[in-house]
Amino acid sequence: MSAAGQAGSSRDAYRPYTLVAELTYRCPLRCAYCSNPVALADQGEELDGARWAEVFEQAEALGVVQLHLTGGEPLLRPELEALVEHATRLGLYSNLITSAVPLTRERLAGLAARGLCNVQISIQGTSAQVSERIAGRDWLQEKLAAAAWVHELGLPLTLNAVLHRQNIAQLPELVTLAERLGAERLELANTQYLGWALANRAALLPSSEQIELARAQAFAAKQRLTGKMEVLFVLPDYHAGKPRACMDGWARRYLVVTPDGCVLPCHQARSITGLHFERVGERSLAQIWRDSPALDAYRGEAFMKEPCKSCDRRTLDYGGCRCQAFALTGDAAATDPACPLSPDHAMVRDARERVPAAETLVRLRTPPAPSPRAGSGSGSGSGSGT
Amino acid sequence: MIARDARPRLASKARLRFDRHEGQHMLIYPEKGMALNATAAAVAELCTGERTVDEIVEQLAARHAATPRERVEHDVLAFLEQLALRGLLREGA
């Protein structure tokens, strides 16, 4: 029985399978590569629990099966339990993407009882020094304790480490740690240089030698652990030699809803100025998904210019990352400069080949965004560590 | 290769659900999903840790009397192998 295609070969060319629900931008961590907006202070009021519940329902009706409960730190939302319960009722595969810092064993047990499907915990590295340097404070022991609870409670664990020049040498230790914690999946995802990470590129971008070594180590781990632990290794676009099929194409498979309700095709999309992203509640999610001008802007191939327009790979990589094209060239319709065929590729090549020898200071996420709406707790800190 | 007397069950990270949009079952696991045809879905449902691989083949063969048994056996084993490679199978109840 040619059993199964990967879901994604859907008859509906623009069916979203995944809702990324960014429940808050508040976070105890200050990661220097955070995927939340650089302009954290400018965001609107957080959606309340009832509005999120509606978003989940409308997303499920549109075809979503995967739900990422993320942030910032989603545990800072006291409505989280009710939202997990609601997701379970809708048959959504709920994945809690957390720093684990505010987690308690009791709270995790409650989430498990409400049907939470998977827990993803971020770690900044295997040493206190790198954790502190990247996230502003070392929480490694707290994270390891939380990971152990995940395992004890019978929940599947994903361990996520964002790689960069300052922790990439720890890759073998990260693999050992994930095995010891009984993780089902290990994400070794290199930083992509957008937002906060672009501001910190000089301090974070690895050298070609580091990348080659890490790639070989990750490949060996992947082979050895096949069937036991899934190992995902993602190259930085700067070193990949070809553009990444970012989000599987603009507004094609992923729906991101921000803490203040904007409907985006990816976490970073608001960095592209000139696009107006609609908010949930203004129209139904289905209407926004199907005909919002901002979501249509880079869908399919109509927006493409040369060299993308006539390229064989255009249906595979969709021209790469729109946010990266905008951040580096000022034109979101341009070929992603990560592509060697891009007329702007020299920017990426120069950044890659000119990795500074001295350690450059890391610029951490700025402290707290304004306090959220009443009733959603008094979290300190800001943004995302997940 | 999965042993014929193993009793496979789906890993806890894998959830089987019917997808009304495409009218077929899906197996969902972190960040991914597999669309299953009717036979694959039937096999997945039988992977409860109680039946051996041989028993799963027997049950499926009985349901599809028109299909040669070797064909059913081949399909079941190929599908279980796919699941195992993705880390979606465990053994025993």
Side-chain angles (χ1 to χ4, degrees):
Chain A
M1 84 205 66
S2 46
Q6 282 290 317
S9 55
S10 168
R11 286 188 288 263
D12 181 352
Y14 296 102
R15 169 179 171 180
Y17 281 89
T18 301
L19 169 64
V20 179
E22 296 183 324
L23 299 181
T24 179
Y25 285 142
R26 290 170 291 135
C27 186
L29 305 189
R30 299 179 58 202
C31 300
Y33 44 69
C34 181
S35 64
N36 289 170
V38 175
L40 274 171
D42 299 341
Q43 312 305 321
E45 200 173 72
E46 289 181 359
L47 299 183
D48 64 19
R51 181 67 83 186
W52 275 115
E54 268 174 45
V55 170
F56 293 2
E57 272 160 43
Q58 294 186 7
E60 197 279 335
L62 257 178
V64 162
V65 292
Q66 295 263 7
L67 171 65
H68 293 187
L69 297 163
T70 183
E73 173 49 69
L75 290 166
L76 297 179
R77 293 295 303 256
E79 305 90 337
L80 185 64
E81 279 73 6
L83 290 176
V84 167
E85 210 171 325
H86 193 62
T88 302
R89 260 199 309 274
L90 292 167
L92 296 171
Y93 191 99
S94 54
N95 188 358
L96 177 67
I97 299 176
T98 177
S99 71
V101 171
L103 194 58
T104 62
R105 198 180 193 283
E106 293 64 35
R107 196 158 183 212
L108 188 61
L111 291 166
R114 287 170 173 86
L116 183 66
C117 297
N118 191 72
V119 179
Q120 173 174 324
I121 295 179
S122 67
I123 60 168
Q124 283 61 40
T126 55
S127 66
Q129 190 207 17
V130 76
S131 306
E132 183 172 357
R133 190 168 208 181
I134 288 299
R137 182 167 163 186
D138 168 40
W139 296 101
L140 185 58
Q141 295 313 314
E142 288 81 355
K143 285 165 178 278
L144 298 183
W149 300 330
V150 175
H151 196 61
E152 285 164 28
L153 290 165
L155 283 163
L157 171 69
T158 297
L159 199 66
N160 168 283
V162 176
L163 301 180
H164 45 78
R165 181 146 55 97
Q166 312 207 18
N167 71 358
I168 198 164
Q170 297 178 347
L171 192 150
E173 294 162 41
L174 287 163
V175 174
T176 307
L177 183 62
E179 284 183 82
R180 183 159 68 74
L181 293 170
E184 296 269 351
R185 175 175 158 98
L186 172 63
E187 297 183 348
L188 300 163
N190 269 281
T191 309
Q192 300 300 350
Y193 294 92
L194 298 155
W196 289 101
L198 183 55
N200 281 310
R201 191 174 66 184
L204 298 180
L205 185 64
S207 68
S208 297
E209 293 71 28
Q210 286 179 309
I211 290 290
E212 281 320 307
L213 179 60
R215 195 214 294 253
Q217 290 167 335
F219 183 75
K222 198 174 178 142
Q223 298 289 104
R224 180 172 64 80
L225 294 164
T226 298
K228 298 192 190 81
M229 181 170 84
E230 187 187 357
V231 179
L232 174 82
F233 179 72
V234 183
L235 286 167
D237 294 346
Y238 281 53
H239 286 273
K242 54 181 196 272
R244 189 167 38 94
C246 194
M247 305 307 281
D248 292 336
W250 180 273
R252 184 168 166 270
R253 295 286 178 247
Y254 289 84
L255 247 173
V256 178
V257 177
T258 66
D260 51 340
C262 277
V263 182
L264 309 181
C266 76
H267 309 73
Q268 289 289 329
R270 276 195 287 189
S271 65
I272 301 176
T273 53
L275 291 178
H276 170 70
F277 291 103
E278 292 179 68
R279 280 174 206 263
V280 295
E282 289 173 7
R283 292 199 292 160
S284 76
L285 200 55
Q287 287 171 320
I288 296 174
W289 176 257
R290 295 206 172 106
D291 64 14
S292 167
L295 296 187
D296 261 342
Y298 306 109
R299 252 185 189 143
E301 298 178 12
F303 76 90
M304 288 182 184
K305 301 176 175 179
E306 294 298 353
C308 289
K309 202 172 176 174
S310 58
C311 180
D312 294 346
R313 294 186 49 85
R314 70 186 184 281
T315 55
L316 302 175
D317 62 29
Y318 311 100
C321 171
R322 296 302 90 224
C323 302
Q324 188 151 266
F326 182 78
L328 297 182
T329 75
D331 177 6
T335 297
D336 183 343
C339 181
L341 301 174
S342 159
D344 303 301
H345 184 61
M347 289 186 217
V348 162
R349 193 187 56 224
D350 290 350
R352 183 177 64 220
E353 289 170 4
R354 230 186 30 206
V355 175
E359 291 295 311
T360 314
L361 282 179
V362 175
R363 180 179 157 221
L364 298 180
R365 259 181 70 136
T366 42
S371 60
R373 62 188 301 140
S376 48
S378 60
S380 60
S382 65
S384 162
T386 60
Chain B
M1 202 60 193
I2 189 159
R4 305 297 291 268
D5 59 351
R7 297 175 190 273
R9 68 178 162 83
L10 292 179
S12 65
K13 67 177 168 183
R15 304 280 175 116
L16 187 65
R17 68 168 277 178
F18 185 73
D19 177 31
R20 68 183 187 284
H21 300 276
E22 303 274 334
Q24 62 192 358
H25 280 83
M26 284 176 97
L27 197 60
I28 319 276
Y29 55 108
E31 310 275 343
K32 292 187 183 145
M34 283 169 90
L36 305 185
N37 66 20
T39 321
V43 174
E45 277 170 349
L46 292 172
C47 289
T48 58
E50 291 147 333
R51 300 172 189 83
T52 64
V53 172
D54 277 332
E55 286 164 356
I56 293 172
V57 171
E58 286 312 320
Q59 290 209 15
L60 266 257
R63 282 190 220 172
H64 300 276
T67 312
R69 196 187 178 286
E70 302 73 54
R71 175 69 197 283
V72 173
E73 184 172 329
H74 172 269
D75 286 353
V76 170
L77 292 176
F79 178 55
L80 292 177
E81 192 64 20
Q82 276 193 55
L83 294 181
L85 281 173
R86 290 170 166 83
L88 300 177
L89 281 190
R90 296 290 179 270
E91 264 193 58

